[in-house]
Amino acid sequence: MIEAADELGLLTELAREPLTPTEIADRAKIDRTMAYNFLTVLVWNGILTRNGDHFALDEALHAEVTSGALPLLRIEGWATRDHLNGTGIVAALRGHRRPPEIDDRYVGALAEAMLRGARASAPHLARLPLWRDRAHLADLAGGSGGYALLLCRMFPRLRATVYDRREMLEHTARAVADAGLDDRIALEPWELRGDPVPAGHDCALLSHVLHLLDAPARAELLGRVRAALAEGDPVVVHDFLPGTAAGAPSPEEAASAIDWLANGSGFLPGPDELAAEMATAGISVRGVTPIAATRTAVVFAACTLGLPGRHPSPSGSGERKARR
């Protein structure tokens, strides 16, 4: 019911002001009688409240819509239709791997959700002292740029390049422009599967990236990250990491585990397993810090000796910019 109301544009309309059934029917272009029936069922399900002739969002849902949670609802609705269902799980168990990228139609919703999520997690990443002497961050699959934005605000000598698909960078560009950081945050079209990590960076961030990939794809990506950096350069991973939080998995973690099964990535390894994967790629884990509020963890690591490292790029070729 919530998805149907959102598809009709009613959640946004009712977040602005209470409306009558006639007003709602006209704005949503639906039959007036059916509109009244629809609104009644929404009231019965606690989605709307009624005061005389006017209907309004329930207070709890109004807070969710206006706080930015609606994009998450839209993404979950798409996932349920696409792969987060019994058919999708059975297909994954039989070897199907769906692309880690979200459907193009929902990239905007993902960008909004990522900006909202970064506000809760980015301050924890910013506490790492490593950023103080870094010059150029590679924010890989950086989405809306929420982490790069906060880090560049807090560390004036730090520059960043956000690497992501072109469709996402259109939204990233607006966030960067709104923050007035066009001169320090560059945008580079980049594909998670296969594109090399350009040279010219002295640190890298992978936030909510590894859980999208199965073990072979994680190993391949970590190898590309290591090849772009020099010995000693830090690599920061922020993700769900089972085994870092006290107690049994939360309902949110249990739900996420179903999503990982359905998209074919399985489970992101725990701290010891992830450390072993990173060590194989030439990246040594130095510390793991849980973020209790988001049930995630920050992994701080550094590139080790023995694998191809970063090479100086002529005339700054590692700093190609795709500014919007």
Side-chain angles (χ1 to χ4, degrees), residues 31-38:
D31 178 86
R32 290 184 176 182
T33 299
M34 289 300 295
Y36 180 81
N37 295 339
F38 181 52

mmCIF file of all heavy atoms in Angstrom, residues 31-38:
data_model
loop_
_atom_site.group_PDB
_atom_site.id
_atom_site.type_symbol
_atom_site.label_atom_id
_atom_site.label_comp_id
_atom_site.label_asym_id
_atom_site.label_seq_id
_atom_site.Cartn_x
_atom_site.Cartn_y
_atom_site.Cartn_z
ATOM 1 N N ASP A 31 -9.692 7.380 -10.083
ATOM 2 C CA ASP A 31 -11.144 7.466 -9.921
ATOM 3 C C ASP A 31 -11.481 7.960 -8.511
ATOM 4 O O ASP A 31 -10.899 7.507 -7.525
ATOM 5 C CB ASP A 31 -11.756 6.077 -10.163
ATOM 6 C CG ASP A 31 -13.260 6.077 -9.970
ATOM 7 O OD1 ASP A 31 -13.972 6.399 -10.935
ATOM 8 O OD2 ASP A 31 -13.701 5.772 -8.842
ATOM 9 N N ARG A 32 -12.451 8.898 -8.412
ATOM 10 C CA ARG A 32 -12.749 9.510 -7.110
ATOM 11 C C ARG A 32 -13.316 8.508 -6.117
ATOM 12 O O ARG A 32 -12.979 8.546 -4.924
ATOM 13 C CB ARG A 32 -13.712 10.683 -7.298
ATOM 14 C CG ARG A 32 -13.052 11.875 -7.988
ATOM 15 C CD ARG A 32 -13.987 13.062 -8.081
ATOM 16 N NE ARG A 32 -13.308 14.225 -8.667
ATOM 17 C CZ ARG A 32 -13.876 15.420 -8.840
ATOM 18 N NH1 ARG A 32 -15.158 15.594 -8.451
ATOM 19 N NH2 ARG A 32 -13.199 16.410 -9.371
ATOM 20 N N THR A 33 -14.173 7.606 -6.572
ATOM 21 C CA THR A 33 -14.728 6.601 -5.657
ATOM 22 C C THR A 33 -13.643 5.655 -5.172
ATOM 23 O O THR A 33 -13.539 5.344 -3.976
ATOM 24 C CB THR A 33 -15.845 5.812 -6.350
ATOM 25 O OG1 THR A 33 -16.888 6.719 -6.733
ATOM 26 C CG2 THR A 33 -16.407 4.752 -5.415
ATOM 27 N N MET A 34 -12.812 5.206 -6.129
ATOM 28 C CA MET A 34 -11.717 4.318 -5.756
ATOM 29 C C MET A 34 -10.709 5.033 -4.859
ATOM 30 O O MET A 34 -10.099 4.429 -3.968
ATOM 31 C CB MET A 34 -11.024 3.782 -7.009
ATOM 32 C CG MET A 34 -11.863 2.772 -7.784
ATOM 33 S SD MET A 34 -12.263 1.308 -6.781
ATOM 34 C CE MET A 34 -10.642 0.608 -6.545
ATOM 35 N N ALA A 35 -10.546 6.335 -5.060
ATOM 36 C CA ALA A 35 -9.632 7.100 -4.218
ATOM 37 C C ALA A 35 -10.102 7.057 -2.769
ATOM 38 O O ALA A 35 -9.293 6.863 -1.848
ATOM 39 C CB ALA A 35 -9.539 8.543 -4.712
ATOM 40 N N TYR A 36 -11.398 7.244 -2.553
ATOM 41 C CA TYR A 36 -11.925 7.218 -1.189
ATOM 42 C C TYR A 36 -11.700 5.844 -0.558
ATOM 43 O O TYR A 36 -11.286 5.736 0.594
ATOM 44 C CB TYR A 36 -13.416 7.564 -1.183
ATOM 45 C CG TYR A 36 -14.012 7.547 0.201
ATOM 46 C CD1 TYR A 36 -13.855 8.638 1.055
ATOM 47 C CD2 TYR A 36 -14.695 6.423 0.667
ATOM 48 C CE1 TYR A 36 -14.382 8.615 2.338
ATOM 49 C CE2 TYR A 36 -15.216 6.388 1.951
ATOM 50 C CZ TYR A 36 -15.058 7.496 2.778
ATOM 51 O OH TYR A 36 -15.562 7.463 4.065
ATOM 52 N N ASN A 37 -11.953 4.771 -1.335
ATOM 53 C CA ASN A 37 -11.736 3.424 -0.812
ATOM 54 C C ASN A 37 -10.261 3.194 -0.478
ATOM 55 O O ASN A 37 -9.925 2.598 0.546
ATOM 56 C CB ASN A 37 -12.205 2.386 -1.831
ATOM 57 C CG ASN A 37 -13.707 2.442 -2.055
ATOM 58 O OD1 ASN A 37 -14.442 2.950 -1.200
ATOM 59 N ND2 ASN A 37 -14.163 1.937 -3.177
ATOM 60 N N PHE A 38 -9.407 3.666 -1.352
ATOM 61 C CA PHE A 38 -7.965 3.518 -1.164
ATOM 62 C C PHE A 38 -7.515 4.239 0.106
ATOM 63 O O PHE A 38 -6.770 3.701 0.932
ATOM 64 C CB PHE A 38 -7.252 4.066 -2.396
ATOM 65 C CG PHE A 38 -5.748 3.963 -2.349
ATOM 66 C CD1 PHE A 38 -5.114 2.767 -2.076
ATOM 67 C CD2 PHE A 38 -4.955 5.076 -2.617
ATOM 68 C CE1 PHE A 38 -3.727 2.667 -2.050
ATOM 69 C CE2 PHE A 38 -3.573 4.987 -2.602
ATOM 70 C CZ PHE A 38 -2.953 3.782 -2.314
#
